[in-house]
Amino acid sequence: MAKKGRVFSGARPTGRQHLGNYLGAIKNYVALQDDFECVYCIVDVHALTTVETTQDLIQNTYDMALDWLAAGIRPEESIMFVQSHVPQVMELHTYLSMVTPLGKLTDLPTFKEKVRQNESNINYGLVGYPVLMTADIVLYNTDFVPVGVDQAPHLEFSRETVRSFNYRYGKAVLKEPLMKNTEIPKVLGIDGVQKMGKSLNNHIELASNAEETQKRVMQMVTDPQRLRRNDPGNPDVCNVFSMHKIFSTKEEVAQINSDCRTAGIGCVDCKKKYAANLNANLAPFRERRDDLGKNPTAVWDILHDGAGRARVIAEETMGAVRDALQLPK
Ligand code: ADP
C-alpha cells in the first residue's frame, strides 16, 4: 500500500522505557507505521546537551532500541537509527545556524525552562538544540512530525528556519515539515501528581517483571480524600482509575467506577486488578524483549542498517544543500 508521506521523530536515549514513554510516544510510533514511511531516531547528540557523563550512553541507546523493537517498531519497514551515525546532521546544523537569529532561540519556552533547571550549565549546544532538531527533521526530507501542543513552538521554529534558508539561498531546497498534531496523554507517575519520569523515580518500566510491576502499582497514590476502606472514593481524581481506562476492559472500568464511589471496592483490590491487567497487557512485549535481548549484536545490526538507509537520504539532501550554498566542489 502506498504510504502517505514520511514521518520523523526522535527521542533522547533514556534507557529502559517507562509507561509514560510508551503511552506518550512509542504506541503512536508503532501505529504510524501503517500509514507512513517512518524514520525514528535515537538522538544521542541531543543527550549531550544535558548529560555530563557519557558512560551510560551506549547501554541506554541499546535498552531504548530494544524496547522500541519489542513494542512493535518494524525495522525492515521503518528506519530506526542512532543520530550520530549520520554525521551529515551536524553539517546541516551548522549551515542552518547561519540563518537562525539568536534571540529566537533564547525566547523559546523550553530553553527558558532548561535555564531555570540548570543555570550553571547553559552551553552553546543547549541554545542550539532546536537548530539541531530542525536539521534532524529536514535532513530526511520529512513531511510530518508528530508533536503535542507543547512541542508546537519548536516545530514552528523549524518551519521558519527552513523558510529562511530557502529564502536566503534562493531555492526550495529544504522541505518545510508539517505538524502532525498528536494528542499526547500526560501520564502521571506513581505519586499521582507529577508527570511520570525516570528522574523523579515515579515510573513503571515496561521491561520490569510482573512482581516488580505489581510492587510499583501497589505504591500508587489514589484519591487523597479517601482515607479509610469504607470511605467512598472519587475515580475522577484517581490515577489508578485513569490507568484502568487504558488497560482494563470497558466492563471492568464501569464496575470499578461504580464500586469505588460506593466503597464497594477498596484501593488495594483496585490496584491489584490494575497490576494484573497491566502485566497481562505487557506480557507479549516482555516475551519479545527477552527474545531480542538474547542477541544484542542483532539489535546493533538493525541500528546500523537503519543508519545506512538514513545516510542515503541524508547525502541526497546534503548534495542539494551544498549546491544551494554554492560551496566550492
Ligand atoms: P525527550 O526529551 O527526548 O522527549 P523523554 O524521555 O522526556 O525524552 O520522552 C520521550 C518521549 O516520551 C517523548 O515523546 C515524551 O513526550 C514521552 N513521555 C515521556 N514521559 C511521559 C509522560 N509521563 N507522559 C506522556 N508522555 C511522556
Side-chain angles (χ1 to χ4, degrees):
M1 194 190 69
K3 302 266 168 130
K4 296 182 203 155
R6 186 174 290 153
V7 156
F8 175 92
S9 187
R12 286 174 301 134
T14 48
R16 288 157 68 111
Q17 302 287 280
H18 54 69
L19 266 184
N21 298 132
Y22 178 66
L23 297 172
I26 306 169
K27 198 174 166 193
N28 189 38
Y29 282 8
V30 173
L32 284 167
Q33 295 178 114
D34 294 340
D35 293 323
F36 298 92
E37 200 187 312
C38 296
V39 181
Y40 295 134
C41 184
I42 300 179
V43 292
D44 56 342
V45 182
H46 280 296
L48 302 179
T49 57
T50 50
V51 167
E52 272 156 35
T53 74
T54 51
Q55 61 192 10
D56 298 327
L57 209 49
I58 294 174
Q59 187 64 38
N60 283 344
T61 299
Y62 171 78
D63 282 335
M64 186 149 127
L66 197 56
D67 279 350
W68 282 9
L69 291 168
I73 301 297
R74 302 189 285 271
E76 61 297 337
E77 209 177 297
S78 304
I79 297 182
M80 185 177 131
F81 71 107
V82 177
Q83 185 185 26
S84 64
H85 290 173
V86 187
Q88 285 87 341
V89 77
M90 264 74 87
E91 183 188 354
L92 184 56
H93 164 263
T94 303
Y95 301 148
L96 293 178
S97 73
M98 311 301 172
V99 296
T100 306
L102 192 57
K104 239 188 191 176
L105 291 169
T106 50
D107 274 351
L108 284 165
T110 38
F111 174 71
K112 290 183 179 160
E113 194 190 315
K114 287 260 157 60
V115 172
R116 269 196 301 274
Q117 281 167 0
N118 193 356
E119 263 178 65
S120 61
N121 182 21
I122 305 163
N123 57 63
Y124 173 66
L126 187 66
V127 184
Y129 191 113
V131 187
L132 184 57
M133 191 188 101
T134 304
D136 284 321
I137 296 167
V138 298
L139 185 59
Y140 304 106
N141 214 16
T142 300
D143 296 296
F144 303 102
V145 183
V147 286
V149 271
D150 54 342
Q151 278 288 322
H154 270 158
L155 195 70
E156 201 38 52
F157 168 88
S158 295
R159 289 165 52 79
E160 285 168 15
T161 307
V162 167
R163 285 203 290 272
S164 303
F165 182 93
N166 287 341
Y167 180 76
R168 165 122 31 126
Y169 298 108
K171 285 183 187 173
V173 187
L174 299 175
K175 193 185 272 181
E176 200 174 315
L178 292 170
M179 172 165 155
K180 188 163 185 354
N181 204 334
T182 310
E183 180 129 10
I184 297 180
K186 181 174 163 188
V187 180
L188 297 182
I190 58 172
D191 53 35
V193 181
Q194 306 212 66
K195 194 173 155 182
M196 183 178 284
K198 238 183 193 176
S199 55
L200 296 170
N201 192 23
N202 65 356
H203 61 301
I204 294 178
E205 278 181 2
L206 301 175
S208 296
N209 63 34
E211 292 76 47
E212 284 162 5
T213 304
Q214 158 133 1
K215 217 163 135 195
R216 290 296 263 180
V217 169
M218 296 317 286
Q219 292 166 6
M220 283 176 76
V221 173
T222 54
D223 170 7
Q225 303 291 329
R226 189 177 186 193
L227 300 176
R228 284 171 295 266
R229 167 68 183 82
N230 293 335
D231 293 342
N234 179 5
D236 300 335
V237 297
C238 178
N239 188 30
V240 176
F241 185 66
S242 54
M243 290 291 109
H244 269 297
K245 285 197 225 160
I246 299 170
F247 292 103
S248 303
T249 64
K250 266 205 181 107
E251 295 71 32
E252 284 171 320
V253 171
Q255 189 73 46
I256 291 163
N257 190 16
S258 71
D259 286 354
C260 174
R261 289 177 202 279
T262 55
I265 185 171
C267 294
V268 170
D269 285 336
C270 181
K271 288 194 232 183
K272 278 188 187 157
K273 211 179 208 359
Y274 165 51
N277 290 348
L278 178 61
N279 278 326
N281 263 278
L282 289 176
F285 163 87
R286 289 170 178 166
E287 217 170 285
R288 274 196 300 274
R289 194 182 195 279
D290 286 347
D291 264 357
L292 288 160
K294 286 180 191 139
N295 190 356
T297 312
V299 174
W300 287 110
D301 284 348
I302 286 171
L303 291 171
H304 291 140
D305 173 71
R309 284 146 65 205
R311 276 194 298 268
V312 173
I313 308 170
E315 250 324 295
E316 213 170 289
T317 306
M318 290 316 295
V321 165
R322 293 178 202 121
D323 281 350
L325 289 165
Q326 303 185 70
L327 296 175
K329 293 209 169 144

